[in-house]
């Protein structure tokens, strides 16, 4: 028997998982009624797995991993799906008059008592992570539920089909909800519905990598696509041209915004849904993973009253998140911020946001001209795609506005040549550009299964080439919380190019591109590869990940 129960915070400090400063700051800042464990998770100080191991020790309740757990599915009727999701619990097994249940919070006595009264069993609890429980619920409840009904109903009349697509209890509606719910639980950024010759593939992009979640029979294709179209207000009868829409929905009691895009292919319409999780937006610039030097340079750029700051990188490299975080930092009642985006992804309080609408002729360039008559201080342009937008944006930055925008190039120096290639005059680029941030996302080593290993000979060579030393690096072995990939979550690597007078002279005099690079090196610019390798040294990511997204010269 444990005579004295220690407090959770003290146990975590003793275990060396958090510092006393982190504990005190979390206790001060957390909202009333929020549990300390949840507050620490939210700030990223600990992982769910670490919290569970400490709770297991503190409460004397065993913890269980649900990854490949041999569930007795005939027990699922004891806890309805809604109740299981609300109370984050799932039945494990039955022994005599005891029911063993995995819970995210085994101290929720009301939920345990409710279950005891409803089932008549004595309840024995074990701890499992919230993610584990939600994944298991989504995987095993309703597993093949309703597919038979679907097969029968597809032979029916159109009228019947229409009924099925909108009726909340129909199998197809439940299937779509399950696909969305699974994606959110796995923290996917995109859902792909891919029609193929004999089947329909459902794929999720998790941490930037696509993988197949499940394959559905071909006869379900038309109803599945019709259901998604209805949810996102698209034209069901039109399947020959691409369509774009969006939908707002609640998944597991959280508001989720989805951007939906359809594309006619040989085997039917392909649908891609981008998930914008409104509750997990990164609006804090300090949490974007800038290292100290880059953070100071970027902050200095965006705090200037005029000039243009460009963020560059391929699609899906987190440019929007960085822009929104910068706007969030600058957002106060003394400034008028106006954005023009295609489309508006996240709504920001106190910021005037405009969506591009090509159908009525509202392009970036036209919208930007109108914005300038609205007395703005800070302007954000979603993307610079052509000479006209580039010139209006640059002239706006020269007439006393701060302009933030994105552009598609491979690195920060390439952005300057891209603007010149578009036909923007060198003197305009030189006088307006404050700086460029190139950004990529790399997968983060899973904190639950990450362990140190010797660096390989090739890695030592790569580091030596960039003037760095490395002996040991972190690698993930693969565990249930990272789906056996060894990676969980992503972080950004950056290259921040701050313009100085020497660089401006190079642009004005049309000198060779190599001169720009020399000045950037002299100005101690940290290139993408270097920032990535520094993060490998910190044990945050791996060399393969950095080389996957950044070119090593």
């Amino acid at each position: 028997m444990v005579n004295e129960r220690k407090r959770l915070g003290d146990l975590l400090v003793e275990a060396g998982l958090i510092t006393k400063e982190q504990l005190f700051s979390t206790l001060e800042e957390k909202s009333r009624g929020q549990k300390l464990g949840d507050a620490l998770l939210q700030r990223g100080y600990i992982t769910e797995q670490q919290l569970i191991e400490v709770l297991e020790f503190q409460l004397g309740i065993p913890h269980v991993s649900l990854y490949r757990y041999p569930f007795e599915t005939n027990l699922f009727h004891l806890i309805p799906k809604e109740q299981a999701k609300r109370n984050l619990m799932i039945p494990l097994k039955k022994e005599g008059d005891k029911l063993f249940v995995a819970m995210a919070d085994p101290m929720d006595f009301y939920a345990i008592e409710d279950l005891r009264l409803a089932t008549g069993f004595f309840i024995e609890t074990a701890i499992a992570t919230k993610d584990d429980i939600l994944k298991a619920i989504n995987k095993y409840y309703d597993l093949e539920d309703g597919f038979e009904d679907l097969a029968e109903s597809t032979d029916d009349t159109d009228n019947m089909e229409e009924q099925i697509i909108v009726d909340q209890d129909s199998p197809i509606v439940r299937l779509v909800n399950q696909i969305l719910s699974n994606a959110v639980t796995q923290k996917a950024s995109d859902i792909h519905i891919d029609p193929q010759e004999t089947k329909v593939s459902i794929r999720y992009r998790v941490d930037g990598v696509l993988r197949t979640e499940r394959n559905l029979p071909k006869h379900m294709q038309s109803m599945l696509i019709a259901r998604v179209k209805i949810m996102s207000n698209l034209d069901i009868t039109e399947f020959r041209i691409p369509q774009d829409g969006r939908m707002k929905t609640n998944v597991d009691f959280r508001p989720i915004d989805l951007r939906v895009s359809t594309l006619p292919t040989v085997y039917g319409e392909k649908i891609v849904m981008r998930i914008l999780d409104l509750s997990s937006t990164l609006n804090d610039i300090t949490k974007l993973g800038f290292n100290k030097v880059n953070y100071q340079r970027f902050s200095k750029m965006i705090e200037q009253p005029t000039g243009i700051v460009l963020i560059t990188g391929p699609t899906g490299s987190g440019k929007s998140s960085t822009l929104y975080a910068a706007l969030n930092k600058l957002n106060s009642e003394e400034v008028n911020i106006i954005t023009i985006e295609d489309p508006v992804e996240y709504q920001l309080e106190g910021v005037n946001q405009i969506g591009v609408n090509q159908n009525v002729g509202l392009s970036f360039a036209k919208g930007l001209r109108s914005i300038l008559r609205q007395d703005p201080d800070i302007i954000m342009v979603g993307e610079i795609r052509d000479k006209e937008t580039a010139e209006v944006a640059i002239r706006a930055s020269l007439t006393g506005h701060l302009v933030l925008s994105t552009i598609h190039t491979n690195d920060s120096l390439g952005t300057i040549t891209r603007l010149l290639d578009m036909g923007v005059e060198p003197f305009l680029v030189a006088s307006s550009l404050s700086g460029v941030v190139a950004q990529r996302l790399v997968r983060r080593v899973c904190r639950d299964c990450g362990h140190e290993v010797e660096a390989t000979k090739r890695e030592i060579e790569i580091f030596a080439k960039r003037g760095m030393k490395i002996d040991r690096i972190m690698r993930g072995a693969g565990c249930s919380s990272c789906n056996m990939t060894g990676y969980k979550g992503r972080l950004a690597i950056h290259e921040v190019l701050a313009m100085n007078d020497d660089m401006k002279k190079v642009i004005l005099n049309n000198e060779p591109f190599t001169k720009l690079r020399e000045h950037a090196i002299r100005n101690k610019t940290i290139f993408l590869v270097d920032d990535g390798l520094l993060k490998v040294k910190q044990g945050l990511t791996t060399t393969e990940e950095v080389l996957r997204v950044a070119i090593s010269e």
Side-chain angles (χ1 to χ4, degrees):
M1 262 306 267
V2 184
N3 298 334
E4 179 192 351
R5 229 175 70 191
K6 289 194 173 175
R7 288 182 307 183
L8 177 65
D10 299 335
L11 282 170
L12 287 165
V13 172
E14 272 175 35
L17 295 172
I18 57 170
T19 61
K20 280 192 170 158
E21 292 74 31
Q22 287 174 331
L23 174 63
F24 293 135
S25 71
T26 307
L27 285 168
E28 273 173 26
E29 292 166 18
K30 79 181 179 78
S31 52
R32 276 194 65 182
Q34 188 183 24
K35 292 179 183 148
L36 173 65
D38 290 344
L40 289 165
L41 282 176
Q42 199 180 337
R43 285 167 178 71
Y45 293 151
I46 55 171
T47 69
E48 267 203 284
Q49 199 59 40
Q50 291 167 337
L51 174 64
I52 274 191
E53 281 162 16
V54 172
L55 278 174
E56 177 181 29
F57 176 74
Q58 185 199 25
L59 306 173
I61 295 175
H63 93 265
V64 58
S65 165
L66 303 182
Y67 188 78
R68 297 201 177 135
Y69 187 87
F71 284 102
E72 295 180 18
T73 44
N74 57 344
L75 296 178
F76 287 168
H77 69 273
L78 294 172
I79 306 178
K81 189 176 180 184
E82 280 307 304
Q83 184 185 352
K85 277 194 169 175
R86 198 174 50 245
N87 296 327
L88 292 170
M89 51 163 59
I90 191 165
L92 299 172
K93 61 181 178 185
K94 184 174 83 173
E95 278 179 14
D97 58 354
K98 285 183 183 169
L99 178 66
F100 289 80
V101 179
M103 296 181 71
D105 177 11
M107 305 306 286
D108 187 345
F109 296 116
Y110 291 113
I112 294 170
E113 189 57 18
D114 281 352
L115 190 59
R116 187 182 71 79
L117 291 170
T119 60
F121 286 102
F122 289 110
I123 308 298
E124 289 278 336
T125 54
I127 316 177
T129 64
K130 185 176 160 187
D131 274 1
D132 247 6
I133 291 175
L134 281 172
K135 271 183 200 164
I137 291 172
N138 286 332
K139 190 170 176 185
Y140 294 106
Y141 275 80
D142 298 349
L143 188 59
E144 296 301 321
D145 186 17
F147 280 13
E148 298 78 18
D149 317 359
L150 263 179
E152 290 157 23
S153 57
T154 41
D155 309 330
D156 252 331
T157 57
D158 290 349
N159 180 32
M160 177 71 182
E161 191 165 306
E162 213 168 283
Q163 187 62 38
I164 286 168
I165 295 169
V166 290
D167 177 11
Q168 284 306 312
D169 287 331
S170 80
I172 196 76
V173 172
R174 286 209 306 268
L175 174 66
V176 172
N177 292 347
Q178 198 185 341
I179 290 170
L180 295 179
S181 185
N182 269 343
V184 172
T185 311
Q186 295 186 29
K187 299 188 170 57
S189 58
D190 301 85
I191 304 170
H192 289 237
I193 299 176
D194 282 342
Q196 289 163 16
E197 192 171 2
T198 56
K199 60 185 180 192
V200 183
S201 279
I202 308 290
R203 299 196 291 167
Y204 293 162
R205 187 179 291 282
V206 180
D207 291 342
V209 181
L210 263 177
R211 53 189 183 73
T212 303
E213 175 65 15
R214 66 199 298 183
N215 289 316
L216 299 173
K218 184 74 175 170
H219 68 252
M220 293 167 65
Q221 178 178 319
S222 58
M223 289 166 66
L224 181 65
I225 287 169
R227 173 63 192 157
V228 174
K229 283 182 163 182
I230 282 182
M231 288 173 81
S232 38
N233 290 328
L234 298 176
D235 182 354
I236 302 191
T237 56
E238 183 54 81
F239 46 83
R240 294 161 305 176
I241 55 169
Q243 296 185 68
D244 286 304
R246 61 189 309 162
M247 59 167 122
K248 268 196 169 74
T249 179
N250 272 331
V251 174
D252 298 339
F253 316 108
R254 272 161 57 192
I256 301 288
D257 215 346
L258 292 139
R259 261 191 15 225
V260 182
S261 155
T262 74
L263 187 73
T265 69
V266 184
Y267 297 121
E269 283 175 292
K270 172 180 165 70
I271 291 188
V272 176
M273 296 185 263
R274 163 66 55 93
I275 301 174
L276 309 167
D277 187 345
L278 302 179
S279 57
S280 72
T281 49
L282 266 178
N283 282 338
D284 188 348
I285 202 165
T286 55
K287 291 183 181 151
L288 292 177
F290 280 103
N291 65 39
K292 279 194 187 119
V293 178
N294 283 345
Y295 178 70
Q296 284 165 348
R297 288 184 175 181
F298 184 55
S299 297
K300 194 175 163 195
M301 276 182 216
I302 61 172
E303 278 160 8
Q304 287 175 0
T306 62
I308 184 164
V309 177
L310 294 174
I311 297 180
T312 175
T315 44
S317 59
K319 300 189 294 292
S320 301
S321 298
T322 306
L323 273 181
Y324 282 126
L327 286 181
N328 222 33
K329 185 177 182 186
L330 300 169
N331 192 3
S332 67
E333 60 181 67
E334 291 93 52
V335 290
N336 177 19
I337 302 178
I338 304 182
T339 76
I340 177 152
E341 307 165 57
D342 180 20
V344 175
E345 287 195 11
Y346 295 107
Q347 275 96 21
L348 293 176
E349 189 128 348
V351 174
N352 309 287
Q353 294 169 283
I354 306 166
V356 164
N357 186 345
Q358 298 292 357
N359 300 339
V360 293
L362 177 58
S363 62
F364 276 123
K366 200 167 180 185
L368 195 46
R369 287 199 179 89
S370 312
I371 288 174
L372 290 171
R373 294 193 282 274
Q374 290 275 326
D375 179 34
D377 299 293
I378 298 165
I379 300 167
M380 191 261 265
V381 184
E383 191 185 337
I384 290 178
R385 295 177 185 165
D386 50 43
K387 181 186 176 186
E388 193 184 5
T389 313
E391 285 195 333
V392 182
I394 284 173
R395 288 182 196 280
S397 69
L398 290 172
T399 51
H401 305 94
L402 172 67
V403 179
L404 305 173
S405 187
T406 69
I407 192 166
H408 285 276
T409 56
N410 284 334
D411 57 5
S412 53
L413 291 164
T415 306
I416 296 166
T417 46
R418 173 100 176 89
L419 286 171
L420 298 173
D421 286 346
M422 273 183 181
V424 180
E425 293 294 339
F427 73 90
L428 283 175
V429 177
S431 48
S432 65
L433 196 60
S434 303
V436 184
V437 179
Q439 175 171 320
R440 298 285 189 283
L441 290 177
V442 291
R443 290 186 291 170
R444 193 187 272 273
V445 172
C446 171
R447 285 165 59 182
D448 291 326
C449 62
H451 60 288
E452 279 198 348
V453 294
E454 292 270 327
T456 63
K457 194 175 166 204
R458 172 93 181 103
E459 280 171 326
I460 293 168
E461 280 171 16
I462 291 166
F463 273 81
K465 210 173 170 184
R466 312 294 301 179
M468 294 185 232
K469 272 189 179 162
I470 185 88
D471 305 315
R472 304 183 69 74
I473 58 166
M474 286 291 274
R475 278 205 194 290
C479 64
S480 62
S481 70
C482 63
N483 270 330
M484 294 300 172
T485 56
Y487 298 102
K488 188 170 186 186
R490 288 192 288 176
L491 76 157
I493 57 172
H494 302 95
E495 172 175 309
V496 179
L497 179 75
M499 298 298 289
N500 59 18
D501 293 341
D502 293 333
M503 289 184 199
K504 289 181 177 178
K505 274 182 198 153
V506 171
I507 298 169
L508 276 172
N509 301 337
N510 273 334
E511 289 179 44
F513 181 70
T514 46
K515 280 272 176 67
L516 262 181
R517 194 174 175 79
E518 284 166 22
H519 286 304
I521 294 168
R522 209 170 294 156
N523 198 22
K524 295 196 167 56
T525 300
I526 300 171
F527 291 102
L528 268 175
V529 174
D530 302 327
D531 189 33
L533 295 181
L534 286 169
K535 282 173 177 150
V536 175
K537 276 188 84 124
Q538 290 168 347
L540 297 173
T541 185
T542 61
T543 323
E544 299 89 67
E545 274 299 294
V546 174
L547 297 182
R548 185 171 66 87
V549 296
I551 306 154
S552 171
E553 300 84 28

